[in-house]
């Protein structure tokens, strides 16, 4: 009998361990909350002093403290680690705020992050200076980019859209007021369109006008038609749409001049035009020239985009450009256009040169990080930050249908823009519910 109970208990325990192992691989979030977080927190608390000491992150105590140690506590004077101000567990990791003592700088802590990561057995440690004298150690308990889940609560602003998750578990936000124009680079199949899809999903819910330029016959943006104010699917159409946009920009500047303000957001709310976001999928298709005659059109379009990029921020017109490459091969003025697109996101690239085009002016190590993105992880990218730093991000996977659904739901937000009306895409009918087999039995009419 006792043998049976022991056997049962052992099986139960084994099943428990097996379940945990399964959860660790399949549901890392759950595993982290149940097991990883308490274990890591305990490990951190117990080994903090010793770890900081061996990682070289301690300083000699102040004279007063040394005096007290020697004479009151009657202990040997030992170097002290940074003071822990706050420890917070999150669904992805652990955040520790440290007060940096005199004699250490945030770079010292950042330099030791690899050692700290191993000491506490966490997936990654990112060091961020939150204010002078205080740094945050953002640890993640598992690889959050393997299966991206966006945090539920995200601090949003008027023109802020969450698009991806950073490696440290915080959301990567696209803020159009801070960074008006952006360039997204990446090889074929690296996740650029997914990035734009996430953007559109967020933008669709905001009071903005969306203009799509997708010269791959609209295969990507066609399904977002209900929420688009204009969709150009050929370079010729795009040329005309850009012309309308430049005209719109000039009209808006007249409006600003009449109200004597310098910025769209300073206008009184009742006369303020809606912000417009222009999304270009595959800029190379747009600037493609087959015959000599097209070159003129291309150069005109590049110049129109340069004008928009240079001035349109003040009147709330923003550019979001995607491409496989963005070099001088795109025509006269292309490099000038690139210089105006301040936001940079680089997905996996085929050559270092492309990564340099996107990130070279941000940091050399960002260029390197972009060149080593694994091909089996589409959607991973290196994004430049407004602060001059960079981070590794990944977009959550959403289906085109899901975003098309959001676009239909918020179709009432499409602003009234008469100038763009001719380019408003035809809205495909909502998918009709599939006709199932009839439940009514046919009855012969003859009697
Ligand atoms: N964040 C992601 N997570 C998982 N799969 C992704 C992600 N981003 C893209 N993919 C997949 O990678 C493939 C290529 O993505 P896509 O956005 O069309 O690339 P691109 O536009 O750069 O050619 C698609 O099959 C897509 O489902
Ligand atoms: Mg694409």
């Amino acid at each position: 009998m006792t043998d049976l109970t022991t056997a049962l208990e052992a099986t139960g325990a084994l099943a428990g361990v097996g379940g945990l192992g399964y959860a660790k691989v399949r549901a890392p979030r759950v595993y982290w909350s149940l097991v990883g977080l308490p274990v890591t927190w305990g490990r951190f608390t117990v080994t903090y002093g010793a770890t900081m000491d061996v990682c070289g992150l301690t300083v000699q105590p102040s004279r007063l403290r040394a005096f007290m140690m020697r004479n009151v506590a009657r202990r040997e004077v030992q170097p002290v680690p940074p003071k822990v101000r706050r420890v917070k567990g999150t669904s992805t990791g652990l955040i520790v705020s440290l007060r940096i003592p005199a004699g250490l700088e945030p770079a010292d802590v950042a330099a030791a992050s690899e050692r700290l990561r191993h000491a506490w057995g966490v997936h990654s440690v990112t060091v961020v200076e939150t204010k002078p004298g205080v740094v945050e150690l953002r640890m993640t308990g598992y690889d959050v980019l393997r299966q991206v889940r966006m945090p539920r609560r995200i601090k949003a602003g008027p023109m802020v859209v969450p698009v991806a998750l950073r490696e440290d578990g915080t959301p990567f936000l696209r803020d159009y007021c801070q960074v008006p124009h952006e360039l997204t680079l990446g090889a074929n199949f690296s996740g650029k369109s997914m990035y734009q899809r996430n953007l559109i999903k967020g933008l669709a819910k905001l009071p903005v006008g969306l203009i799509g330029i997708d010269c791959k016959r609209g295969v990507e943006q066609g399904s977002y038609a209900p929420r688009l104010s204009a969709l150009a699917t050929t370079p010729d159409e795009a040329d005309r749409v850009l012309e309308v946009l430049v005209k719109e920009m000039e009209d808006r500047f007249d409006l600003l001049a009449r109200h004597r303000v310098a910025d769209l957001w300073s206008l009184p709310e009742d006369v303020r035009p809606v912000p417009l976001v222009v999304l270009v999928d595959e800029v190379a298709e747009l600037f493609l020239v087959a015959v000599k005659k097209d070159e003129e059109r291309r150069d005109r379009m590049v110049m129109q985009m340069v004008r928009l990029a240079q001035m349109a921020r003040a009147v709330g017109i923003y550019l979001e450009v995607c491409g496989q490459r963005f070099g001088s091969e795109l025509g006269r003025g292309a490099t000038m256009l690139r210089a105006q697109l301040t936001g940079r996101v680089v997905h996996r690239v085929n050559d270092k040169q492309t990564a340099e085009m996107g990130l070279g002016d941000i940091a050399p190590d960002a260029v390197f990080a972009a060149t080593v993105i694994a091909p089996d992880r589409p959607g991973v990218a290196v994004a430049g930050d407004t602060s001059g730093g960079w981070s590794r991000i990944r977009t959550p996977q959403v289906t085109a249908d899901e975003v098309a659904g959001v676009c239909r739901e918020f179709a009432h937000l499409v602003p009234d823009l008469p100038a763009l009306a001719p380019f408003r895409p035809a809205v495909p009918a909502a998918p009709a519910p599939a006709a199932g087999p009839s439940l009514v039995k046919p009855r012969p009419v003859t009697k």
Side-chain angles (χ1 to χ4, degrees), residues 234-374:
T234 61
D236 267 325
E237 271 176 13
D239 184 22
R240 280 178 283 143
V241 167
L242 286 173
E243 205 176 304
V244 171
L245 285 172
V246 171
K247 178 76 177 48
E248 173 75 21
M249 174 176 81
E250 282 162 0
D251 290 350
R252 288 184 177 199
F253 269 113
D254 289 342
L255 184 70
L256 292 191
R258 276 203 298 282
H259 284 87
R260 296 176 192 288
V261 291
D263 188 80
L264 177 102
W265 300 103
S266 322
L267 282 173
E269 213 166 310
D270 51 330
V271 296
R272 189 191 304 154
V274 283
L276 300 177
V277 181
V278 185
L279 298 131
V280 183
D281 196 282
E282 288 301 351
V283 71
E285 292 288 330
L286 175 61
F287 294 155
L288 198 68
V289 282
V291 288
K292 189 87 182 150
K293 187 168 72 54
D294 291 348
E295 256 173 43
E296 210 176 291
R297 181 192 61 202
R298 179 193 63 187
D299 289 347
R300 190 170 56 238
M301 280 198 290
V302 174
M303 281 335 284
Q304 278 164 336
M305 286 183 69
V306 170
R307 286 193 67 193
L308 285 173
Q310 274 177 351
M311 319 204 295
R313 181 204 57 84
V315 294
I317 301 179
Y318 306 111
L319 297 181
E320 193 67 57
V321 181
C322 248
Q324 299 193 21
R325 285 174 60 81
F326 203 113
S328 47
E329 75 277 2
L330 289 186
R332 218 153 44 85
T335 35
M336 193 153 61
L337 175 55
R338 195 181 66 203
Q340 294 292 338
L341 307 173
T342 34
R344 298 294 171 82
V345 175
V346 177
H347 290 75
R348 181 177 56 78
V349 288
N350 289 331
D351 53 349
K352 187 157 174 252
Q353 207 188 1
T354 311
E356 262 162 7
M357 277 176 205
L359 299 165
D361 34 8
I362 293 176
D365 46 343
V367 174
F368 177 72
T371 52
V372 296
I373 294 172

Side-chain angles (χ1 to χ4, degrees), residues 187-195 220 282 378-379 394-397:
N188 214 351
F189 239 58
S190 60
K192 301 182 297 296
S193 299
M194 186 69 85
Y195 183 88
E220 289 289 345
E282 288 301 351
R394 190 179 196 189
T395 46
Q397 194 173 16

